């Protein structure tokens, strides 16, 4: 039991978090969020709006339900269209447009605080790293090259493929990463910032560490069942440096 200030509970949670981080032999990072802000602010929703306008211009806005339209989630919309075999050509065009937007966004992407030293330190203490993301792998590679981080990950970049219906929350990209690394799921750790990341990790049997920029994101992850959520990667870096 914890005291009124919850100190014992907090200490236990942080001890457990430390153990989760230290046990990870293989670390799978989501890209947009834990590594960088590819679409800061409302820019992702802006792209979602552009998708809707484009679908409307094609006379295909009806492929998304009203609820899906209101979400303004570019990847969710792409996965929905990609899962409709009769709209294969439409999905390929959508994917190409989104990939172009992502490649353009790399030029203004802002590094997530402490992400670069976390990546370098995790590699330095012996972990093998991969990216498992819904983003274009070309955009990931371009960003990592610009930050001098390619050597920490290559060749283990597992981004979006033409099997668009297998975007997260499907565990497809995580399973590809595990196979590429020749890793057991229990020896890995997924670092993600969305419920879809957590859902994919759970389906793949991979322990999960949530990164939440704000209280709303933290609440979403916790409500979904994520046990370990940090508001800053500085905490992860401190644990890794203590391990080193």
């Amino acid at each position: 039991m914890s005291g009124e200030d919850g100190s014992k509970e907090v200490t236990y949670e942080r001890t457990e978090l430390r153990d989760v981080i230290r046990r990870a032999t293989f670390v799978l990072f989501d890209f947009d969020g834990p590594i960088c802000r590819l679409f800061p602010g409302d820019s992702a929703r802006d792209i979602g709006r552009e998708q809707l306008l484009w679908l409307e211009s094609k006379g295909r806005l009806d492929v998304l339900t009203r609820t899906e339209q209101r979400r303004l989630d570019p990847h969710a919309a792409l996965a929905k269209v990609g899962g409709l075999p009769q709209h294969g050509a439409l999905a390929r065009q959508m994917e190409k447009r989104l990939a172009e937007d992502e490649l353009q966004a790399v030029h203004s992407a802002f590094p997530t605080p402490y992400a670069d030293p976390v990546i370098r330190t995790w590699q330095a203490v012996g972990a093998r790293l991969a990216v498992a993301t819904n983003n274009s792998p070309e955009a990931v590679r371009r960003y990592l090259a610009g930050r001098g981080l390619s050597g920490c990950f290559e060749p283990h970049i597992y981004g979006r493929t033409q099997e668009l219906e297998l975007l997260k929350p499907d565990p497809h990209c995580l399973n590809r990463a595990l196979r590429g690394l020749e890793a057991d799921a229990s020896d890995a750790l997924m670092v993600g910032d969305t419920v879809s990341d957590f859902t994919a990790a759970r389906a793949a049997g991979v322990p999960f560490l949530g990164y939440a920029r704000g209280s709303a994101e933290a609440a979403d992850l916790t409500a979904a069942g994520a046990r370990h959520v940090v508001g800053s990667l500085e905490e992860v870096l401190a644990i890794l440096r203590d391990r080193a």
Side-chain angles (χ1 to χ4, degrees), residues 124-181:
V125 298
R128 296 180 62 194
L129 313 182
V131 175
T133 178
N134 282 345
N135 294 116
S136 158
E138 290 78 13
V140 176
R141 291 190 180 95
R142 182 175 296 184
Y143 176 84
L144 294 177
R147 300 294 298 176
L149 294 170
S150 298
C152 297
F153 291 98
E154 290 285 6
H156 299 292
I157 309 297
Y158 302 95
R160 191 168 63 244
T161 69
Q162 290 303 309
E163 296 178 285
L164 300 173
E165 72 279 11
L166 298 180
L167 295 176
K168 288 181 286 187
D170 191 281
H172 179 63
C173 67
L174 279 77
N175 289 330
R176 290 172 57 218
L178 293 174
R179 288 194 298 270
L181 292 166

Short mmCIF file of all heavy atoms in Angstrom, two decimals, residues 124-181:
data_model
loop_
_atom_site.label_atom_id
_atom_site.label_comp_id
_atom_site.label_asym_id
_atom_site.label_seq_id
_atom_site.Cartn_x
_atom_site.Cartn_y
_atom_site.Cartn_z
N ALA A 124 24.30 2.57 -27.71
CA ALA A 124 25.61 2.45 -27.06
C ALA A 124 25.61 1.39 -25.96
O ALA A 124 26.64 0.77 -25.71
CB ALA A 124 26.02 3.81 -26.49
N VAL A 125 24.46 1.19 -25.31
CA VAL A 125 24.41 0.18 -24.24
C VAL A 125 24.07 -1.21 -24.79
O VAL A 125 23.88 -2.16 -24.02
CB VAL A 125 23.42 0.57 -23.13
CG1 VAL A 125 23.84 1.87 -22.47
CG2 VAL A 125 21.99 0.65 -23.66
N GLY A 126 24.02 -1.32 -26.11
CA GLY A 126 23.92 -2.64 -26.71
C GLY A 126 22.61 -3.03 -27.34
O GLY A 126 22.48 -4.14 -27.88
N ALA A 127 21.59 -2.16 -27.28
CA ALA A 127 20.31 -2.50 -27.88
C ALA A 127 20.38 -2.34 -29.40
O ALA A 127 21.15 -1.53 -29.92
CB ALA A 127 19.21 -1.60 -27.33
N ARG A 128 19.61 -3.14 -30.10
CA ARG A 128 19.46 -3.01 -31.56
C ARG A 128 18.15 -2.31 -31.83
O ARG A 128 17.11 -2.64 -31.23
CB ARG A 128 19.53 -4.37 -32.24
CG ARG A 128 20.88 -5.05 -32.06
CD ARG A 128 20.90 -6.40 -32.76
NE ARG A 128 20.68 -6.25 -34.19
CZ ARG A 128 20.37 -7.25 -35.01
NH1 ARG A 128 20.21 -8.47 -34.53
NH2 ARG A 128 20.21 -7.03 -36.31
N LEU A 129 18.18 -1.34 -32.72
CA LEU A 129 17.05 -0.44 -32.92
C LEU A 129 16.41 -0.61 -34.29
O LEU A 129 17.08 -0.94 -35.27
CB LEU A 129 17.50 1.02 -32.76
CG LEU A 129 18.36 1.36 -31.54
CD1 LEU A 129 18.67 2.84 -31.53
CD2 LEU A 129 17.69 0.93 -30.25
N ALA A 130 15.11 -0.34 -34.33
CA ALA A 130 14.37 -0.35 -35.59
C ALA A 130 13.28 0.72 -35.51
O ALA A 130 12.90 1.16 -34.43
CB ALA A 130 13.73 -1.72 -35.84
N VAL A 131 12.81 1.13 -36.68
CA VAL A 131 11.64 2.01 -36.76
C VAL A 131 10.49 1.20 -37.31
O VAL A 131 10.63 0.51 -38.32
CB VAL A 131 11.91 3.22 -37.67
CG1 VAL A 131 10.63 4.05 -37.83
CG2 VAL A 131 13.03 4.09 -37.12
N ALA A 132 9.35 1.24 -36.63
CA ALA A 132 8.14 0.56 -37.07
C ALA A 132 7.03 1.60 -37.11
O ALA A 132 6.54 2.02 -36.06
CB ALA A 132 7.78 -0.59 -36.14
N THR A 133 6.65 2.03 -38.31
CA THR A 133 5.82 3.21 -38.44
C THR A 133 4.83 3.11 -39.58
O THR A 133 5.04 2.33 -40.52
CB THR A 133 6.73 4.45 -38.67
OG1 THR A 133 5.92 5.62 -38.84
CG2 THR A 133 7.59 4.28 -39.91
N ASN A 134 3.79 3.91 -39.51
CA ASN A 134 2.85 4.04 -40.61
C ASN A 134 3.32 5.04 -41.66
O ASN A 134 2.70 5.18 -42.71
CB ASN A 134 1.47 4.51 -40.10
CG ASN A 134 0.67 3.40 -39.45
OD1 ASN A 134 0.98 2.22 -39.61
ND2 ASN A 134 -0.36 3.77 -38.73
N ASN A 135 4.40 5.74 -41.36
CA ASN A 135 4.91 6.74 -42.30
C ASN A 135 5.68 6.11 -43.45
O ASN A 135 6.09 4.94 -43.38
CB ASN A 135 5.82 7.74 -41.57
CG ASN A 135 5.07 8.59 -40.57
OD1 ASN A 135 5.33 8.50 -39.37
ND2 ASN A 135 4.14 9.39 -41.03
N SER A 136 5.90 6.91 -44.47
CA SER A 136 6.70 6.47 -45.61
C SER A 136 8.12 6.14 -45.17
O SER A 136 8.76 6.96 -44.49
CB SER A 136 6.74 7.58 -46.67
OG SER A 136 7.83 7.44 -47.53
N PRO A 137 8.67 4.99 -45.53
CA PRO A 137 10.04 4.68 -45.14
C PRO A 137 11.04 5.66 -45.75
O PRO A 137 12.09 5.92 -45.15
CB PRO A 137 10.25 3.24 -45.66
CG PRO A 137 9.20 3.05 -46.70
CD PRO A 137 8.03 3.88 -46.28
N GLU A 138 10.73 6.21 -46.91
CA GLU A 138 11.63 7.18 -47.53
C GLU A 138 11.72 8.45 -46.67
O GLU A 138 12.80 9.03 -46.51
CB GLU A 138 11.16 7.54 -48.94
CG GLU A 138 11.32 6.42 -49.95
CD GLU A 138 10.24 5.35 -49.84
OE1 GLU A 138 9.22 5.58 -49.13
OE2 GLU A 138 10.41 4.27 -50.44
N ALA A 139 10.59 8.88 -46.11
CA ALA A 139 10.60 10.05 -45.24
C ALA A 139 11.41 9.77 -43.98
O ALA A 139 12.18 10.63 -43.52
CB ALA A 139 9.17 10.45 -44.88
N VAL A 140 11.27 8.58 -43.43
CA VAL A 140 12.04 8.21 -42.23
C VAL A 140 13.53 8.25 -42.53
O VAL A 140 14.32 8.83 -41.78
CB VAL A 140 11.63 6.81 -41.73
CG1 VAL A 140 12.51 6.40 -40.55
CG2 VAL A 140 10.16 6.78 -41.35
N ARG A 141 13.92 7.65 -43.63
CA ARG A 141 15.35 7.61 -43.97
C ARG A 141 15.90 9.01 -44.20
O ARG A 141 17.03 9.31 -43.79
CB ARG A 141 15.56 6.74 -45.21
CG ARG A 141 15.31 5.26 -44.98
CD ARG A 141 15.75 4.41 -46.16
NE ARG A 141 15.52 3.00 -45.90
CZ ARG A 141 14.43 2.33 -46.29
NH1 ARG A 141 13.49 2.96 -46.99
NH2 ARG A 141 14.28 1.05 -45.99
N ARG A 142 15.12 9.85 -44.85
CA ARG A 142 15.60 11.21 -45.11
C ARG A 142 15.78 11.97 -43.81
O ARG A 142 16.78 12.69 -43.64
CB ARG A 142 14.62 11.94 -46.03
CG ARG A 142 15.06 13.36 -46.40
CD ARG A 142 14.12 14.01 -47.41
NE ARG A 142 14.12 13.29 -48.69
CZ ARG A 142 13.44 13.71 -49.75
NH1 ARG A 142 12.69 14.80 -49.68
NH2 ARG A 142 13.49 13.04 -50.88
N TYR A 143 14.85 11.83 -42.89
CA TYR A 143 14.98 12.52 -41.60
C TYR A 143 16.18 12.01 -40.82
O TYR A 143 16.99 12.79 -40.31
CB TYR A 143 13.71 12.36 -40.77
CG TYR A 143 13.86 12.97 -39.40
CD1 TYR A 143 13.64 14.33 -39.20
CD2 TYR A 143 14.27 12.20 -38.31
CE1 TYR A 143 13.81 14.90 -37.95
CE2 TYR A 143 14.45 12.76 -37.06
CZ TYR A 143 14.23 14.11 -36.88
OH TYR A 143 14.42 14.68 -35.64
N LEU A 144 16.31 10.70 -40.70
CA LEU A 144 17.41 10.13 -39.93
C LEU A 144 18.77 10.52 -40.52
O LEU A 144 19.71 10.81 -39.78
CB LEU A 144 17.28 8.61 -39.88
CG LEU A 144 16.07 8.05 -39.11
CD1 LEU A 144 16.04 6.53 -39.22
CD2 LEU A 144 16.09 8.48 -37.66
N ALA A 145 18.85 10.54 -41.84
CA ALA A 145 20.11 10.94 -42.48
C ALA A 145 20.44 12.38 -42.14
O ALA A 145 21.61 12.72 -41.85
CB ALA A 145 20.00 10.76 -43.99
N GLY A 146 19.43 13.24 -42.12
CA GLY A 146 19.66 14.64 -41.80
C GLY A 146 20.11 14.87 -40.37
O GLY A 146 20.80 15.85 -40.08
N ARG A 147 19.74 13.95 -39.47
CA ARG A 147 20.13 14.07 -38.07
C ARG A 147 21.38 13.26 -37.75
O ARG A 147 21.84 13.24 -36.60
CB ARG A 147 18.99 13.57 -37.16
CG ARG A 147 17.70 14.33 -37.30
CD ARG A 147 17.81 15.75 -36.84
NE ARG A 147 18.15 15.85 -35.43
CZ ARG A 147 18.37 17.00 -34.81
NH1 ARG A 147 18.32 18.14 -35.50
NH2 ARG A 147 18.67 17.04 -33.54
N GLY A 148 21.94 12.56 -38.75
CA GLY A 148 23.10 11.73 -38.50
C GLY A 148 22.78 10.48 -37.71
O GLY A 148 23.66 9.93 -37.02
N LEU A 149 21.54 9.99 -37.82
CA LEU A 149 21.10 8.85 -37.02
C LEU A 149 20.90 7.58 -37.85
O LEU A 149 20.49 6.55 -37.30
CB LEU A 149 19.77 9.18 -36.32
CG LEU A 149 19.82 10.28 -35.26
CD1 LEU A 149 18.40 10.67 -34.84
CD2 LEU A 149 20.65 9.84 -34.06
N SER A 150 21.19 7.63 -39.13
CA SER A 150 20.93 6.47 -39.99
C SER A 150 21.63 5.22 -39.47
O SER A 150 21.06 4.12 -39.48
CB SER A 150 21.38 6.77 -41.42
OG SER A 150 20.66 7.84 -41.97
N GLY A 151 22.87 5.37 -39.02
CA GLY A 151 23.64 4.22 -38.56
C GLY A 151 23.07 3.56 -37.33
O GLY A 151 23.42 2.40 -37.03
N CYS A 152 22.20 4.26 -36.61
CA CYS A 152 21.59 3.66 -35.42
C CYS A 152 20.47 2.69 -35.78
O CYS A 152 20.11 1.84 -34.96
CB CYS A 152 21.03 4.75 -34.51
SG CYS A 152 22.27 5.88 -33.84
N PHE A 153 19.94 2.81 -37.01
CA PHE A 153 18.76 2.03 -37.39
C PHE A 153 18.95 1.15 -38.62
O PHE A 153 18.41 0.05 -38.66
CB PHE A 153 17.58 2.97 -37.65
CG PHE A 153 17.05 3.65 -36.44
CD1 PHE A 153 17.43 4.95 -36.13
CD2 PHE A 153 16.17 3.01 -35.59
CE1 PHE A 153 16.94 5.60 -35.01
CE2 PHE A 153 15.65 3.64 -34.47
CZ PHE A 153 16.05 4.94 -34.18
N GLU A 154 19.61 1.65 -39.63
CA GLU A 154 19.68 0.92 -40.89
C GLU A 154 20.25 -0.48 -40.70
O GLU A 154 21.18 -0.67 -39.91
CB GLU A 154 20.53 1.69 -41.91
CG GLU A 154 19.88 2.97 -42.41
CD GLU A 154 18.74 2.72 -43.40
OE1 GLU A 154 18.36 1.54 -43.62
OE2 GLU A 154 18.22 3.70 -43.95
N PRO A 155 19.69 -1.45 -41.44
CA PRO A 155 18.64 -1.35 -42.46
C PRO A 155 17.23 -1.54 -41.92
O PRO A 155 16.31 -1.81 -42.69
CB PRO A 155 19.00 -2.51 -43.38
CG PRO A 155 19.49 -3.57 -42.43
CD PRO A 155 20.24 -2.83 -41.34
N HIS A 156 17.05 -1.36 -40.61
CA HIS A 156 15.79 -1.78 -39.99
C HIS A 156 14.78 -0.63 -39.92
O HIS A 156 14.42 -0.15 -38.84
CB HIS A 156 16.06 -2.39 -38.62
CG HIS A 156 16.94 -3.59 -38.69
ND1 HIS A 156 16.52 -4.78 -39.25
CD2 HIS A 156 18.24 -3.78 -38.33
CE1 HIS A 156 17.51 -5.66 -39.21
NE2 HIS A 156 18.56 -5.08 -38.66
N ILE A 157 14.33 -0.20 -41.10
CA ILE A 157 13.29 0.81 -41.23
C ILE A 157 12.07 0.11 -41.82
O ILE A 157 12.10 -0.32 -42.98
CB ILE A 157 13.73 1.97 -42.15
CG1 ILE A 157 15.09 2.53 -41.72
CG2 ILE A 157 12.65 3.05 -42.17
CD1 ILE A 157 15.12 3.14 -40.36
N TYR A 158 11.03 -0.01 -41.03
CA TYR A 158 9.84 -0.75 -41.46
C TYR A 158 8.65 0.22 -41.49
O TYR A 158 7.94 0.39 -40.50
CB TYR A 158 9.58 -1.94 -40.54
CG TYR A 158 10.78 -2.86 -40.51
CD1 TYR A 158 11.75 -2.75 -39.51
CD2 TYR A 158 10.97 -3.80 -41.52
CE1 TYR A 158 12.87 -3.58 -39.50
CE2 TYR A 158 12.09 -4.63 -41.52
CZ TYR A 158 13.03 -4.50 -40.51
OH TYR A 158 14.15 -5.32 -40.52
N GLY A 159 8.51 0.86 -42.64
CA GLY A 159 7.44 1.83 -42.81
C GLY A 159 6.31 1.29 -43.66
O GLY A 159 6.16 0.08 -43.85
N ARG A 160 5.53 2.20 -44.16
CA ARG A 160 4.34 1.85 -44.92
C ARG A 160 4.69 1.10 -46.19
O ARG A 160 5.64 1.44 -46.88
CB ARG A 160 3.60 3.15 -45.26
CG ARG A 160 2.22 2.97 -45.82
CD ARG A 160 1.48 4.28 -45.86
NE ARG A 160 2.06 5.28 -46.73
CZ ARG A 160 2.56 6.45 -46.31
NH1 ARG A 160 2.52 6.77 -45.03
NH2 ARG A 160 3.08 7.32 -47.16
N THR A 161 3.92 0.06 -46.47
CA THR A 161 4.06 -0.68 -47.72
C THR A 161 2.79 -0.48 -48.54
O THR A 161 1.90 0.28 -48.15
CB THR A 161 4.26 -2.19 -47.45
OG1 THR A 161 3.03 -2.73 -46.94
CG2 THR A 161 5.38 -2.42 -46.44
N GLN A 162 2.70 -1.16 -49.65
CA GLN A 162 1.48 -1.07 -50.47
C GLN A 162 0.34 -1.92 -49.90
O GLN A 162 -0.78 -1.86 -50.41
CB GLN A 162 1.78 -1.48 -51.91
CG GLN A 162 2.65 -0.47 -52.65
CD GLN A 162 2.04 0.93 -52.67
OE1 GLN A 162 0.88 1.12 -53.02
NE2 GLN A 162 2.83 1.92 -52.25
N GLU A 163 0.61 -2.66 -48.84
CA GLU A 163 -0.46 -3.38 -48.14
C GLU A 163 -1.07 -2.41 -47.12
O GLU A 163 -0.89 -2.52 -45.91
CB GLU A 163 0.10 -4.63 -47.46
CG GLU A 163 0.65 -5.66 -48.43
CD GLU A 163 1.23 -6.87 -47.73
OE1 GLU A 163 2.35 -6.74 -47.18
OE2 GLU A 163 0.57 -7.92 -47.72
N LEU A 164 -1.82 -1.47 -47.64
CA LEU A 164 -2.26 -0.33 -46.85
C LEU A 164 -3.24 -0.71 -45.75
O LEU A 164 -3.37 0.01 -44.75
CB LEU A 164 -2.87 0.73 -47.77
CG LEU A 164 -1.90 1.26 -48.84
CD1 LEU A 164 -2.63 2.18 -49.81
CD2 LEU A 164 -0.73 1.99 -48.18
N GLU A 165 -3.94 -1.81 -45.94
CA GLU A 165 -4.88 -2.25 -44.92
C GLU A 165 -4.17 -2.76 -43.67
O GLU A 165 -4.80 -3.01 -42.64
CB GLU A 165 -5.80 -3.33 -45.48
CG GLU A 165 -5.16 -4.68 -45.71
CD GLU A 165 -4.36 -4.79 -47.02
OE1 GLU A 165 -4.14 -3.73 -47.65
OE2 GLU A 165 -3.99 -5.91 -47.38
N LEU A 166 -2.83 -2.91 -43.75
CA LEU A 166 -2.06 -3.44 -42.63
C LEU A 166 -1.32 -2.35 -41.85
O LEU A 166 -0.36 -2.63 -41.13
CB LEU A 166 -1.06 -4.49 -43.14
CG LEU A 166 -1.68 -5.72 -43.80
CD1 LEU A 166 -0.61 -6.68 -44.27
CD2 LEU A 166 -2.64 -6.43 -42.84
N LEU A 167 -1.75 -1.11 -41.99
CA LEU A 167 -1.19 -0.06 -41.16
C LEU A 167 -1.59 -0.29 -39.70
O LEU A 167 -2.60 -0.92 -39.41
CB LEU A 167 -1.71 1.31 -41.62
CG LEU A 167 -1.28 1.77 -43.03
CD1 LEU A 167 -1.94 3.10 -43.37
CD2 LEU A 167 0.23 1.88 -43.13
N LYS A 168 -0.78 0.23 -38.77
CA LYS A 168 -1.17 0.15 -37.37
C LYS A 168 -2.55 0.78 -37.20
O LYS A 168 -2.83 1.80 -37.84
CB LYS A 168 -0.15 0.89 -36.49
CG LYS A 168 1.18 0.15 -36.35
CD LYS A 168 2.16 0.90 -35.45
CE LYS A 168 2.74 2.11 -36.13
NZ LYS A 168 3.81 2.76 -35.33
N PRO A 169 -3.40 0.16 -36.40
CA PRO A 169 -3.12 -0.75 -35.26
C PRO A 169 -2.84 -2.21 -35.62
O PRO A 169 -2.66 -3.02 -34.71
CB PRO A 169 -4.38 -0.65 -34.42
CG PRO A 169 -5.46 -0.35 -35.39
CD PRO A 169 -4.83 0.55 -36.41
N ASP A 170 -2.84 -2.57 -36.89
CA ASP A 170 -2.40 -3.91 -37.24
C ASP A 170 -0.92 -4.05 -36.87
O ASP A 170 -0.13 -3.11 -37.06
CB ASP A 170 -2.58 -4.15 -38.75
CG ASP A 170 -2.40 -5.61 -39.13
OD1 ASP A 170 -1.22 -6.03 -39.23
OD2 ASP A 170 -3.40 -6.30 -39.34
N PRO A 171 -0.48 -5.21 -36.36
CA PRO A 171 0.91 -5.37 -35.92
C PRO A 171 1.90 -5.66 -37.05
O PRO A 171 3.06 -6.00 -36.78
CB PRO A 171 0.82 -6.55 -34.96
CG PRO A 171 -0.28 -7.39 -35.51
CD PRO A 171 -1.31 -6.40 -36.02
N HIS A 172 1.48 -5.51 -38.30
CA HIS A 172 2.30 -5.92 -39.45
C HIS A 172 3.71 -5.35 -39.40
O HIS A 172 4.70 -6.09 -39.54
CB HIS A 172 1.59 -5.51 -40.73
CG HIS A 172 2.34 -5.85 -41.99
ND1 HIS A 172 2.61 -7.15 -42.36
CD2 HIS A 172 2.87 -5.06 -42.97
CE1 HIS A 172 3.27 -7.15 -43.51
NE2 HIS A 172 3.43 -5.90 -43.89
N CYS A 173 3.85 -4.03 -39.22
CA CYS A 173 5.19 -3.44 -39.27
C CYS A 173 6.03 -3.88 -38.08
O CYS A 173 7.26 -4.01 -38.19
CB CYS A 173 5.13 -1.92 -39.40
SG CYS A 173 4.46 -1.05 -37.97
N LEU A 174 5.41 -4.13 -36.93
CA LEU A 174 6.17 -4.63 -35.78
C LEU A 174 6.66 -6.04 -36.04
O LEU A 174 7.81 -6.37 -35.71
CB LEU A 174 5.32 -4.60 -34.51
CG LEU A 174 5.21 -3.26 -33.79
CD1 LEU A 174 4.25 -2.32 -34.51
CD2 LEU A 174 4.77 -3.45 -32.35
N ASN A 175 5.80 -6.86 -36.60
CA ASN A 175 6.22 -8.23 -36.91
C ASN A 175 7.33 -8.24 -37.94
O ASN A 175 8.24 -9.08 -37.87
CB ASN A 175 5.02 -9.04 -37.39
CG ASN A 175 4.03 -9.36 -36.27
OD1 ASN A 175 4.43 -9.49 -35.11
ND2 ASN A 175 2.75 -9.45 -36.60
N ARG A 176 7.27 -7.35 -38.92
CA ARG A 176 8.37 -7.25 -39.90
C ARG A 176 9.67 -6.87 -39.19
O ARG A 176 10.74 -7.41 -39.51
CB ARG A 176 8.03 -6.21 -40.96
CG ARG A 176 6.92 -6.62 -41.92
CD ARG A 176 6.50 -5.47 -42.81
NE ARG A 176 7.63 -4.94 -43.57
CZ ARG A 176 7.82 -3.65 -43.82
NH1 ARG A 176 6.99 -2.74 -43.35
NH2 ARG A 176 8.87 -3.27 -44.54
N ALA A 177 9.58 -5.93 -38.26
CA ALA A 177 10.78 -5.51 -37.53
C ALA A 177 11.34 -6.66 -36.70
O ALA A 177 12.57 -6.88 -36.67
CB ALA A 177 10.45 -4.32 -36.64
N LEU A 178 10.48 -7.40 -36.03
CA LEU A 178 10.95 -8.52 -35.22
C LEU A 178 11.63 -9.57 -36.08
O LEU A 178 12.69 -10.11 -35.71
CB LEU A 178 9.78 -9.15 -34.46
CG LEU A 178 9.13 -8.28 -33.36
CD1 LEU A 178 7.89 -8.97 -32.81
CD2 LEU A 178 10.12 -7.98 -32.25
N ARG A 179 11.05 -9.86 -37.24
CA ARG A 179 11.68 -10.83 -38.14
C ARG A 179 13.02 -10.31 -38.65
O ARG A 179 14.01 -11.05 -38.71
CB ARG A 179 10.75 -11.14 -39.31
CG ARG A 179 9.53 -11.99 -38.95
CD ARG A 179 8.86 -12.53 -40.19
NE ARG A 179 8.36 -11.47 -41.06
CZ ARG A 179 7.15 -10.95 -40.97
NH1 ARG A 179 6.30 -11.37 -40.04
NH2 ARG A 179 6.76 -10.00 -41.81
N GLY A 180 13.06 -9.04 -39.02
CA GLY A 180 14.30 -8.47 -39.54
C GLY A 180 15.42 -8.47 -38.51
O GLY A 180 16.59 -8.68 -38.84
N LEU A 181 15.05 -8.22 -37.27
CA LEU A 181 16.04 -8.21 -36.18
C LEU A 181 16.32 -9.59 -35.63
O LEU A 181 17.22 -9.75 -34.80
CB LEU A 181 15.53 -7.31 -35.05
CG LEU A 181 15.45 -5.82 -35.32
CD1 LEU A 181 14.61 -5.13 -34.24
CD2 LEU A 181 16.84 -5.19 -35.39
#
